[in-house]
Amino acid sequence: MRDAIELVAEEVPVALSYNGITQAVMLASPLDLEDFALGFTLGERIVRSAADVYDIEVEEGERGIAIELRIAAGAMARFKRARLARVGNTGCGLCGVDSLAYFGGGGLRRRGAPGAARAGV
């Protein structure tokens, strides 16, 4: 039998914060995170349009990836009024986690080029 190398999808904790307030931590593949953040933000109706998102900053650390979105004042006011504890029925075990501190490890650093993990089979 010949040795083979397979690509394995990487999944890491990703925290989404709006103007400094963390909304959610979930497991995600560390690719296209700006698109992921914008899609989540629009889908959850945190903003009414993409124009309400002024900036998206992605930082990688030992605990996971933090995504900070700077959103319009009106959107932030609605976000604060509507902010509720989110309960989900997924099996990832992150429901209710609202900080990367849950995972231990060091600080954050600006994210470099993403990549897939390799595993020998």
Side-chain angles (χ1 to χ4, degrees), residues 60-64 103-109:
E60 185 178 317
E62 291 178 24
R63 298 175 181 166
F103 299 97
L108 297 172
R109 64 186 183 284

Side-chain angles (χ1 to χ4, degrees), residues 11-52:
E11 229 178 27
V12 298
V14 175
L16 290 163
S17 299
Y18 300 90
N19 297 0
I21 298 174
T22 302
Q23 171 65 5
V25 178
M26 60 202 77
L27 290 176
S29 294
L31 301 169
D32 303 316
L33 289 171
E34 291 85 358
D35 292 335
F36 171 74
L38 182 59
F40 177 88
T41 302
L42 289 165
E44 293 295 312
R45 297 183 178 161
I46 294 168
V47 298
R48 291 182 177 157
S49 77
D52 288 336

Side-chain angles (χ1 to χ4, degrees), residues 6-10 115-119:
E6 292 184 11
L7 293 178
V8 178
E10 182 180 11
R118 290 187 176 259

Side-chain angles (χ1 to χ4, degrees), residues 76-100:
M76 191 63 192
R78 288 187 305 276
F79 170 73
K80 285 181 176 179
R81 283 193 304 270
R83 192 160 186 260
L84 302 171
R86 296 192 181 273
V87 177
N89 56 4
T90 65
C92 72
L94 296 182
C95 294
V97 174
D98 67 355
S99 171
L100 290 175

